[in-house]
Amino acid sequence: MARWILLLAFIFLLEWYSFQAFRVFFKTKTSMISYWVVTLLLLCLFVFLFSKFDRRVGQTRETLFTVGLLLLIVVPKLLISCTLILEDIVRLFAAVYHKIVGTESFIIPNRRKFISQIGLGLAAVPFLSLIYGMTKGKYQFKIFKYQLFFDDLPEAFDGFTLTQISDIHSGSFDNPEKITEAIKLINDNPTDLFLFTGDIVNTHAKEMHPWIDTFKSIRQYPHGKFSILGNHDYGEYVEWSSQKEKADNFAAIKYLHQEVGFKLLLNEHVRIQKDGQEMVLVGVENWGVNFKQAGDLKKAAEGIRPEEFKILMSHDPSHWEKEVKHDPNHYHLTLSGHTHGLQFGIEIPGWFKWSPVQYIYKQWAGLYEHQGRLINVNRGFGFHAYPGRVGIWPEITLIELKKTKKLS
């Protein structure tokens, strides 16, 4: 009950302050009536759309649209409200000050029009950004290239290259042409090894069925195509009619990897050989501090020597933070995804990087290092929840491994 009261209070304040800005800027009676009519219609629409949400189905394109529309309305109004609340604080202090010094009676100054204009101007920025993110940004694929140096990289692997993608979330796709273009982008940048780090669907195996041929067209790689599972691949976020239905869906999701030509690693490792030398590729099931912990690093590493060069695929970067970076086996490079960079943030390569998700995950996008151990957190190939991307674009990662040259 308390949550509903807080929610209603939040909605009331949001709409009240938004209306104040609107009223100062548009003073006609017709405009004010129109504002409330549109607001009530949108509120009714949200109630209707959320009431249609089926826990047995999970996220659909309709729920994606609902979340996108909700953000499109709430985020700008939140900025307007914050602007006017700050003005109200200033107005209140001004009234108290003048009362104390005795220059005039306690009268709160009138709201200033230019403050409302500032609030509306600020609100236009996320409004236009969210629209761009939903129409263009979600398919604005970017290639991130890294050259990584290691002292103990086997000589044969000096210059070895790999491609990483993560978080396909095929159930969210709505534009076959854009996905085909992204696959072409992958194929136009050949490497030695292809790695996918989890979340092939949102929930159901059938979400991937329209896209099997598309992802199957990813080129053959000299050293193979490997994959792991992400938290969404376990069907944890919907209600199932029976445990058998859930188990069958999980089996079907694992089979999807085979259908598109990926070798799925389930708490196991493979040895990548080149010119008589080898490195170890380790793949664990999902392990997250706040999500399913099916990953078993100890099992996956059975038979591996600590001195061997190792690449680990683990979907959730909190696994690296919690366990991997301190593991005595010394995992040289970990590849993760999961965060999507929240699909919202600001990035100026080499200068500035920010997203609200950084307050939850220490490693949330790009490369991080700890005592010679590296992790790359891929920003994700697809999208989930919010049907778009703003500032944090979908990523294809190209990595080149280099051996550090010793000075003679």
Side-chain angles (χ1 to χ4, degrees):
M1 185 64 180
R3 287 187 300 174
W4 285 107
I5 294 174
L6 288 173
L7 179 61
L8 289 173
F10 173 75
I11 293 172
F12 174 79
L13 285 173
L14 205 64
E15 294 301 337
W16 174 253
Y17 275 107
S18 298
F19 176 67
Q20 296 305 309
F22 189 88
R23 185 177 64 175
V24 169
F25 199 72
F26 301 99
K27 295 186 176 181
T28 66
K29 186 176 181 180
T30 302
S31 297
M32 288 185 277
I33 292 173
S34 298
Y35 175 89
W36 286 116
V37 168
V38 172
T39 297
L40 290 172
L41 286 175
L42 285 171
L43 183 59
C44 291
L45 176 63
F46 290 138
V47 171
F48 172 75
L49 290 173
F50 280 112
S51 69
K52 300 289 287 183
F53 181 75
D54 190 341
R55 283 281 300 171
R56 296 167 297 178
V57 176
Q59 179 177 276
T60 64
R61 290 179 185 174
E62 289 73 26
T63 58
L64 280 169
F65 170 78
T66 304
V67 172
L69 184 60
L70 184 63
L71 290 173
L72 203 58
I73 302 301
V74 170
V75 175
K77 287 188 175 184
L78 192 57
L79 275 178
I80 292 171
S81 300
C82 289
T83 303
L84 297 194
I85 287 171
L86 287 174
E87 185 196 17
D88 280 351
I89 293 171
V90 172
R91 291 165 64 206
L92 180 61
F93 272 105
V96 171
Y97 172 78
H98 290 302
K99 177 65 176 177
I100 292 173
V101 299
T103 57
E104 56 185 75
S105 58
F106 185 81
I107 299 175
I108 296 178
N110 291 330
R111 193 177 298 283
R112 289 165 292 182
K113 183 178 180 179
F114 85 92
I115 297 295
S116 295
Q117 290 174 322
I118 290 173
L120 290 168
L122 289 173
V125 175
F127 182 79
L128 295 174
S129 297
L130 288 166
I131 288 178
Y132 180 85
M134 293 166 65
T135 54
K136 301 289 186 180
K138 61 185 176 183
Y139 294 126
Q140 191 170 311
F141 290 92
K142 299 292 183 184
I143 292 179
F144 288 78
K145 294 183 178 181
Y146 302 106
Q147 192 176 63
L148 308 181
F149 289 84
F150 299 92
D151 293 337
D152 47 357
L153 180 71
E155 290 282 355
F157 290 91
D158 186 20
F160 189 86
T161 55
L162 59 90
T163 298
Q164 180 199 4
I165 66 170
S166 191
D167 299 87
I168 290 174
H169 287 286
S170 53
S172 300
F173 294 154
D174 55 11
N175 191 324
E177 182 180 336
K178 292 296 183 182
I179 301 304
T180 300
E181 289 177 4
I183 299 301
K184 183 178 184 302
L185 193 58
I186 292 172
N187 288 337
D188 287 345
N189 290 273
T191 60
D192 296 306
L193 178 67
F194 177 89
L195 303 173
F196 167 61
T197 46
D199 277 359
I200 199 168
V201 296
N202 294 332
T203 297
H204 297 94
K206 63 183 179 182
E207 297 166 13
M208 187 65 179
H209 291 169
W211 309 100
I212 287 176
D213 288 341
T214 305
F215 282 87
K216 196 174 181 178
S217 69
I218 294 176
R219 65 163 54 238
Q220 294 303 312
Y221 284 70
H223 293 275
K225 296 186 285 188
F226 296 89
S227 60
I228 57 171
L229 297 172
N231 57 301
H232 280 268
D233 298 322
Y234 294 86
E236 298 286 301
Y237 309 119
V238 299
E239 294 176 355
W240 300 93
S241 60
S242 66
Q243 280 300 116
K244 182 181 183 304
E245 183 186 20
K246 181 180 180 181
D248 288 346
N249 181 70
F250 184 48
I253 286 174
K254 288 187 286 186
Y255 184 64
L256 287 173
H257 293 251
Q258 180 180 328
E259 289 187 281
V260 297
F262 299 168
K263 167 60 179 174
L264 180 62
L265 298 180
L266 299 167
N267 295 324
E268 57 188 311
H269 67 268
V270 294
R271 295 182 180 276
I272 308 296
Q273 298 182 337
K274 184 181 180 185
D275 299 337
Q277 295 183 315
E278 62 183 23
M279 67 177 180
V280 184
L281 177 65
V282 183
V284 295
E285 294 192 49
N286 190 79
W287 194 103
V289 171
N290 298 311
F291 294 92
K292 189 174 183 69
Q293 297 184 355
D296 189 335
L297 189 57
K298 184 177 180 181
K299 177 183 177 183
E302 287 179 358
I304 298 176
R305 299 185 305 276
E307 66 271 16
E308 291 185 283
F309 189 88
K310 295 171 284 296
I311 295 176
L312 170 67
M313 292 194 293
S314 180
H315 178 71
D316 190 323
S318 66
H319 188 205
W320 187 80
E321 175 64 28
K322 189 72 174 179
E323 292 190 345
V324 177
K325 74 179 186 180
H326 302 294
D327 193 284
N329 258 328
H330 189 94
Y331 291 91
H332 298 76
L333 174 62
T334 299
L335 301 176
S336 297
H338 180 64
T339 70
H340 302 204
L342 204 67
Q343 298 167 208
F344 179 86
I346 302 170
E347 273 199 275
I348 304 174
W351 291 89
F352 183 74
K353 183 172 69 175
W354 175 87
S355 169
V357 78
Q358 71 187 53
Y359 305 114
I360 303 172
Y361 289 91
K362 288 185 178 180
Q363 299 81 30
W364 60 274
L367 279 171
Y368 302 84
E369 185 269 343
H370 175 76
Q371 295 181 356
R373 308 179 191 204
L374 296 174
I375 181 173
N376 180 64
V377 184
N378 184 284
R379 294 159 180 82
F381 187 90
F383 51 92
H384 182 257
Y386 165 59
R389 285 179 175 265
V390 178
I392 306 293
W393 313 120
E395 175 178 349
I396 298 164
T397 311
L398 304 179
I399 294 175
E400 181 183 12
L401 305 179
K402 297 291 291 181
K403 186 173 180 65
T404 306
K405 302 299 182 183
K406 294 182 179 180
L407 297 176
S408 56

